[in-house]
Amino acid sequence: MRIGSLLLLLALSPLLQAARNDSGAVTGRVANPEGVVRIVATSLNTGEQFSSVANDAGQFSLTSLPPGSYRVVMRNEKGTAFTRRSLKVRAGETLRF
């Protein structure tokens, strides 16, 4: 039974790898974060939203983003926002800013 499961896993691994490469990511660092900074990426194609919170060092990561164009908004607790429009996410790529 274990050998069969192992063989199945080996046979499926290229498909699993391909599935992981069907999405992209956006990572970055918020300079001088003031309190909690929330990052929201909104698909301009579907309206779907993906969110993250920057850590204490200001770093954030939005992963598993379907390819397409996004509006990315970073907003701190005081309501101050930075917006990046028409960010193009491609499968298998990570955008950094």
Side-chain angles (χ1 to χ4, degrees):
M1 185 67 133
R2 286 185 179 193
I3 293 174
S5 296
L6 181 59
L7 290 175
L8 180 61
L9 181 60
L10 288 173
L12 290 177
S13 63
L15 295 174
L16 295 173
Q17 182 65 33
R20 280 185 283 209
N21 289 335
D22 285 348
S23 62
V26 175
T27 64
R29 182 173 176 273
V30 179
N32 300 320
E34 296 180 25
V36 175
V37 177
R38 182 171 177 80
I39 299 90
V40 178
T42 304
S43 169
L44 299 179
N45 303 329
T46 67
E48 187 174 7
Q49 293 188 331
F50 302 84
S51 64
S52 180
V53 176
N55 66 17
D56 291 339
Q59 298 172 331
F60 69 90
S61 181
L62 294 162
T63 59
S64 300
L65 299 175
S69 296
Y70 288 83
R71 179 181 65 244
V72 178
V73 178
M74 299 176 214
R75 185 180 309 273
N76 66 17
E77 292 176 325
K78 295 179 181 179
T80 305
F82 169 79
T83 301
R84 180 98 184 250
R85 299 180 194 282
S86 299
L87 197 64
K88 185 73 174 175
V89 173
R90 293 183 176 86
E93 293 184 4
T94 298
L95 299 175
R96 290 174 175 73
F97 71 93

